[in-house]
Amino acid sequence: MEKTDRTPSFSIENVKHVSHTQKEEVVVSNMFTNAASATEKEHKMGLIQGIKLYPKAIAFAVVISLCCAMEGYDIALLGNFYAFPPFNRKYGELQPDGSYQVPAPWQAGISNGAQCGQIIGLLLTGWGVEKFGYKKFILAVLCYQVIIITIFFVAPSIKVLLVGACLAGVAFGVFMSIAISYACEVCPVALRGYLTTWGNSCWGIGQLIAIAVIRSMFGRDDEWAYRIPYALQWMWFPILIAGIILAPESPWWLVRQGRYEDAQKSLLRLTSPKQDPTFDAAETVDMMRHTNELEKDLTAGASYLDCFRGVNLRRTEIVCMLFVSQNFAGNTFSNYSTYFFAQAGLTGTVAYDFAMGQYGLNTVGAFVVWGLMAWGVGRRTLFLVALSGLFCTLLVLGFLGLVPEAHKESAALATGSMMIVWAAFYQFSVGTVAFSLVAEMSTRRLQVKTVALSRIAYNVAAIIVNVLTPYMLNPTAWDWGNFAGFFWAGTCFCVLVYHYFRLPEPSGRSFAEMDLLFERRIPARQYKHTKIDAFDVALKHQVTEVGAGASHHDRA
């Protein structure tokens, strides 16, 4: 039976004849009461309870994250076509031994063209999402990408392919940023770590499909061997556009716009209240409002510049380093895996078989991480342990380069096996957990912009490694082969030391609690054990009466 308790002292209707200041105090007190109740319920919410209450939020977050699969598919095509004979004959140059190779400068240029495009897309995301909302902005970008794929399909030369990579990169920058931010905003604390990591598995799904498609084209020797894989990119759009049209707007975005009633309606579309009689959408919206008002006190504005002011500078630094660490932990081998295997001595379809094993791990990475998180392993712990494993694996890859030429075939197979081990360490932690950590480190008001900046940092680091990697691996350039493992082991060790001292543990914390932990400058290693109460802080910011009449509901 439902009982609604509307205490007269907390009702706006009963204080019509009091002063504006007293009304303001009632509004704030009412919001504090509701927000505290909703926060307590989220802290007590378990995984199963969260799944039952938020099944539609899970479904929509999963669909929108599939945009990352399209991005992973395209990027995997670019990196792995360099070991594909029909592609090399079309866009490469004849070598003295009679083979064709795309020169290292063009390899670096195409990869970096896509990265530069992503930087533009990420900057647009921070502005576009806050102005138009998640749904309208991503639908517009999907329509743009439908046209851009045509460039890849008809590209007559390597120069046109470069133009296509630059333009496609704009959309890819949008997809990843929105997938992370939307999943974080539609899910409660109990589901936040799971749904934000799903984007990386979607990336892996796209990569795996790309490798499978290229491998299936080995029976062809004409231009359709590389045109068909490009054309198959159009298969993503009907699913994505239909799913996004049906999805509700983020309630957090609606709260930031002052549209509290719409935020409550959106929240009801994301949940199944009948599954949990204690759930109250009005309370949850007031929790969002409380966090938003608290962040207004802690953060003067919500521009890109504010990401570098005060305590937000530390948060921006951490999220940027999380994604930078992916590239400096050896992720470059993932994007060039078949090319790396080919230079190590694996020829024909064998290189693609190993790559499929590697990308197969990408697709299940999130599920392994979910199991570890459900078991109680913190995200900081996962990140640090995995970086240690990656460092050791990269060292072994480097030492395999010392194997004599007489045993080159055995060394090549060992290299492929060690890359599978590397992929396991990477995908079961660093590659996956970074998405969750980035989403949780930023404030709600600055989240889209902070995530965009973190991905820009990722792309800047990717540009660096994309310049270095082709020269390291290309036999017409430095031809390092396995010795590149020593270089990336060194960079991996550097980011391991950084995160040990700077990366906090966000597991189980509400957004308001994270805001206060950062504001009080708690050292990263103490976050897990520091006690904090987000409701022992008075709000200095003035709360408007618009939409502030929600009352606390006790359900019995």
Side-chain angles (χ1 to χ4, degrees), residues 102-365:
V102 175
W106 279 108
Q107 289 184 19
I110 291 173
S111 297
N112 288 337
Q115 301 296 339
C116 291
Q118 286 191 46
I119 292 174
I120 296 172
L122 288 162
L123 290 171
L124 288 173
T125 302
W127 164 80
V129 168
E130 287 306 312
K131 185 172 180 63
F132 302 108
Y134 286 94
K135 286 186 60 176
K136 291 180 180 178
F137 189 69
I138 197 170
L139 282 172
V141 173
L142 281 171
C143 293
Y144 160 86
Q145 187 67 358
V146 170
I147 300 170
I148 298 303
I149 288 175
T150 307
I151 297 176
F152 291 104
F153 184 69
V154 301
S157 67
I158 193 77
K159 296 176 183 178
V160 176
L161 206 60
L162 173 60
V163 172
C166 293
L167 295 176
V170 175
F172 296 153
V174 173
F175 294 153
M176 183 62 73
S177 181
I178 286 184
I180 296 171
S181 299
Y182 185 84
C184 191
E185 292 197 354
V186 300
C187 296
V189 173
L191 300 178
R192 205 167 62 201
Y194 299 90
L195 269 299
T196 49
T197 56
W198 168 244
N200 187 64
S201 275
C202 290
W203 181 298
I205 290 170
Q207 290 176 316
L208 183 62
I209 294 173
I211 293 296
V213 169
I214 294 175
R215 194 185 183 289
S216 69
M217 293 293 112
F218 261 82
R220 306 188 67 104
D221 203 37
D222 56 5
E223 63 181 14
W224 291 101
Y226 54 86
R227 279 193 172 186
I228 289 174
Y230 278 132
L232 287 176
Q233 290 180 89
W234 281 307
M235 70 183 175
W236 301 104
F237 294 104
I239 300 171
L240 292 172
I241 291 174
I244 292 168
I245 289 174
L246 294 173
E249 186 55 81
S250 161
W252 282 92
W253 181 82
L254 293 167
V255 165
R256 291 195 293 273
Q257 306 304 309
R259 296 165 55 183
Y260 305 122
E261 290 185 5
D262 289 338
Q264 188 167 330
K265 292 176 183 177
S266 175
L267 192 59
L268 290 171
R269 287 189 60 198
L270 291 165
T271 56
S272 296
K274 293 181 180 179
Q275 296 294 327
D276 186 351
T278 66
F279 174 74
D280 189 325
E283 281 184 351
T284 305
V285 169
D286 268 348
M287 178 184 69
M288 297 175 184
R289 291 186 58 214
H290 171 265
T291 301
N292 189 51
E293 299 299 332
L294 177 64
E295 290 180 355
K296 285 181 182 179
D297 283 348
L298 302 179
T299 305
S303 68
Y304 275 113
L305 188 59
D306 290 300
C307 295
F308 300 97
R309 287 175 173 161
V311 71
N312 285 324
L313 176 60
R314 179 187 174 192
R315 304 176 83 152
T316 303
E317 170 212 319
I318 292 170
V319 298
C320 287
M321 281 302 297
L322 282 164
F323 275 139
V324 166
S325 300
Q326 289 187 331
N327 280 303
F328 288 164
N331 187 37
T332 181
F333 285 136
S334 177
N335 294 332
Y336 287 85
S337 57
T338 53
Y339 189 67
F340 174 63
F341 292 150
Q343 303 313 313
L346 297 175
T347 58
T349 60
V350 178
Y352 287 91
D353 291 338
F354 272 104
M356 287 184 68
Q358 175 189 327
Y359 291 140
L361 289 174
N362 294 12
T363 63
V364 301

Side-chain angles (χ1 to χ4, degrees), residues 397-413:
L397 279 171
F399 281 115
L400 285 171
L402 299 174
V403 175
E405 188 70 22
H407 302 286
K408 184 177 181 180
E409 184 176 348
S410 298
L413 291 173

Side-chain angles (χ1 to χ4, degrees), residues 500-520:
Y500 178 78
F501 290 103
R502 298 294 285 171
L503 180 62
E505 177 57 70
S507 301
R509 297 290 191 182
S510 70
F511 292 125
E513 289 169 342
M514 288 295 293
D515 290 337
L516 290 177
L517 286 167
F518 274 108
E519 177 67 19
R520 295 175 183 178

Side-chain angles (χ1 to χ4, degrees), residues 88-102:
N88 283 328
R89 281 197 301 274
K90 173 66 176 179
Y91 300 109
E93 295 179 1
L94 182 64
Q95 302 301 308
D97 63 357
S99 65
Y100 285 84
Q101 286 275 348
V102 175

